[in-house]
Amino acid sequence: MLGSRDVAIRVGVYGREHKSAFFRENPIMKIPVFRQFLAVAFAMLFWIGVTDGVGGQQASDQISESNLQNAALIQAAVDRLLEIQEPDGAWPYEGVYRVNRKIPLGYRIGGTAIVCAALLDAPLADRTNADHAIRRAVELVLIELEHPLMKPSRENTYDVRVWGHIYALDLFVRIHSSERFPDLNTATSPWIDRLVAGLVEQEIDGGGWNYANRRRHAPFVTAPALQALALTKEYGAKVPDELFDRGASALNSSRSSNGAFAYSGATSSSGRNERLPGSIARNVVCETTLWLLGDGDSTRLQLAIDAFHEHWEELEKRRKKTGTHEPPYGVAPYYFYYGHRYLAQAIALLPADKQMAEYDRFEQVLLQTKDEDNTWNDRVFQRSRAFGTAMSVLALSRQHVPLPSAKAVR
């Protein structure tokens, strides 16, 4: 008799090998309600199997209404992402910054790559439409990466191209690791080495990355860059070890004695303390990244999670508001779903017996801000709902989203 994990694996294999022919050809699938029900049911089987394998019997016993709800939430959110993909294949992130009065290429590429990553690892029963959308998006990203404005730059100015480089690298490595897109591998493979080289070139002196200037690193840029590079090294590509050493050192230098991380630069040498309510999104991504680099601490990780919940209202006050780093804590709206995505990552690193309670606490705050159209948006711009929704899907997908191993970089 098959256990839940065996059933999930066979369901997953069937979907990959047969490209969900049942969903395409069976007349009953034309009934929207039945299609949604079956999609959620298959997703639940897959979810149970993965969780059973990751967390053992205890985690399996706790699979309940919460995960069923998440499967439905993910499916509904993915449906909306597919609907709002733009005609050229993009899901551009939109903020106040413009280049020649247009959304900069770094925002277009980075935003599109983040949505693709969410679609790539979301626990879906029928992957046909999602994979088609990923292919369209990757084709566009490949074209836009060739633009002169995406050439690596060391100019000391505000320039978001490095944001596009980071998340394009993360996406391409995940695509290769998934083994679902052999048709894309030939085109994206050369870009993995090129993007690594670009990040090497754009590293701030002393370690880390920033898109606001080249005077000092920004932890909220450095952390995802290091994660993308760690995944790349684990995949087998060449990444200089010194990047991780300098990056970890830069992150550690930005932590205040109260656990808060500076918006940019070091606090350890200056003796100044960052104000904790303004740092909670940075805290979870930085402590998670240090853990993944083999330089983490379980107490600091838990403190970052607790601080996120304690000061969550300060993030919420800035959601969907105009302006960026407003007083009293300098919280920008774009930290909101960025923070939730990396909070879920931090929870995934906790001991198994603590994860379910923390996921429940996380979901309670995330679901408070879901819009009626099954999207999440932290900006006043309509296009940015793709970013917020993708970050939320990545967070809700939990164990399905791969994390780099510390063994890869140490």
Side-chain angles (χ1 to χ4, degrees):
M1 181 176 179
L2 293 176
S4 60
R5 179 171 171 79
D6 298 317
V7 172
I9 290 173
R10 294 197 179 191
V11 168
V13 170
Y14 179 87
R16 290 192 298 270
E17 296 296 328
H18 298 278
K19 301 185 183 299
S20 303
F22 174 82
F23 285 86
R24 296 196 308 270
E25 299 169 4
N26 197 310
I28 197 171
M29 293 310 296
K30 297 182 182 296
I31 305 173
V33 173
F34 183 82
R35 183 181 178 86
Q36 183 177 16
F37 166 78
L38 196 58
V40 171
F42 270 76
M44 268 303 297
L45 280 174
F46 183 57
W47 201 311
I48 290 170
V50 172
T51 306
D52 188 33
V54 172
Q57 186 61 44
Q58 180 182 12
S60 180
D61 290 343
Q62 296 183 58
I63 297 300
S64 62
E65 184 177 339
S66 173
N67 283 346
L68 180 61
Q69 180 188 43
N70 284 351
L73 283 169
I74 291 168
Q75 184 66 58
V78 166
D79 288 344
R80 294 296 292 131
L81 287 171
L82 297 180
E83 289 174 11
I84 64 178
Q85 185 177 26
E86 300 195 352
D88 61 2
W91 287 281
Y93 175 78
E94 184 172 11
V96 296
Y97 178 57
R98 294 289 188 276
V99 173
N100 299 324
R101 298 183 179 182
K102 296 180 180 179
I103 294 176
L105 287 170
Y107 278 175
R108 284 178 54 82
I109 292 170
T112 301
I114 288 170
V115 176
C116 285
L119 297 179
L120 184 69
D121 294 314
L124 306 176
D126 180 8
R127 297 212 51 90
T128 306
N129 293 333
D131 285 356
H132 176 67
I134 290 171
R135 286 187 173 89
R136 289 181 57 215
V138 170
E139 289 170 1
L140 176 70
V141 168
L142 288 167
I143 292 172
E144 296 197 332
L145 280 172
E146 296 281 8
H147 194 283
L149 289 177
M150 286 304 296
K151 182 180 179 180
S153 171
R154 292 184 60 85
E155 186 177 355
N156 185 24
T157 186
Y158 194 100
D159 190 329
V160 299
R161 72 185 72 194
V162 72
W163 199 68
H165 294 150
I166 290 167
Y167 285 103
L169 175 63
D170 178 81
L171 173 63
F172 289 173
V173 172
R174 291 178 189 276
I175 283 176
H176 281 252
S177 300
S178 76
E179 300 181 350
R180 290 209 313 268
F181 299 91
D183 52 320
L184 295 178
N185 287 355
T186 301
T188 57
S189 286
W191 271 105
I192 291 176
D193 289 336
R194 289 177 66 179
L195 290 166
V196 170
L199 290 177
V200 170
E201 181 178 344
Q202 295 171 105
E203 184 189 19
I204 302 290
D205 292 341
W209 293 264
N210 197 346
Y211 59 67
N213 58 65
R214 294 198 55 81
R215 293 188 298 275
R216 51 189 176 267
H217 91 107
F220 71 97
V221 182
T222 296
L226 290 170
Q227 288 198 25
L229 289 165
L231 271 177
T232 303
K233 185 170 183 181
E234 188 169 19
Y235 171 70
K238 292 183 178 179
V239 180
D241 292 337
E242 296 80 10
L243 287 181
F244 301 111
D245 295 334
R246 289 191 294 264
S249 178
L251 289 180
N252 280 315
S253 75
S254 295
R255 186 194 297 106
S256 301
S257 60
N258 63 355
F261 283 80
Y263 175 77
S264 66
T267 60
S268 56
S269 59
S270 67
R272 66 182 175 88
N273 259 352
E274 189 75 15
R275 302 177 75 181
L276 190 58
S279 173
I280 58 175
R282 297 193 292 272
N283 294 356
V284 287
V285 69
C286 290
E287 296 296 3
T288 296
T289 301
L290 286 168
W291 183 285
L292 294 172
L293 296 182
D295 195 20
D297 178 273
S298 59
T299 300
R300 292 201 308 261
L301 189 68
Q302 185 65 61
L303 286 173
I305 294 170
D306 292 340
F308 189 94
H309 289 286
E310 181 181 355
H311 300 289
W312 180 84
E313 289 291 344
E314 296 302 329
L315 275 185
E316 168 59 10
K317 288 176 185 177
R318 296 291 300 125
R319 184 175 62 90
K320 290 191 176 183
K321 298 296 191 298
T322 57
T324 50
H325 302 285
E326 300 293 328
Y329 300 115
V331 175
Y334 56 72
Y335 276 126
F336 195 81
Y337 294 114
Y338 173 98
H340 286 75
R341 185 263 185 275
Y342 291 108
L343 171 65
Q345 227 185 34
I347 295 172
L349 300 178
L350 293 176
D353 61 346
K354 293 184 178 181
Q355 288 182 16
M356 293 307 296
E358 289 293 352
Y359 279 132
D360 287 343
R361 186 160 65 141
F362 152 73
E363 288 164 11
Q364 288 175 18
V365 295
L366 180 67
L367 296 184
Q368 288 182 41
T369 61
K370 183 175 72 68
D371 290 328
E372 291 183 0
D373 67 346
N374 293 314
T375 65
W376 286 263
N377 193 356
D378 52 19
R379 302 304 298 269
V380 296
F381 309 103
Q382 186 75 347
R383 274 173 161 162
S384 291
R385 61 185 170 157
F387 168 80
T389 303
M391 286 298 205
S392 298
V393 169
L394 283 164
L396 288 168
S397 295
R398 298 182 181 176
Q399 293 95 335
H400 305 288
V401 181
L403 291 171
S405 168
K407 296 179 181 178
V409 297
R410 292 293 187 220

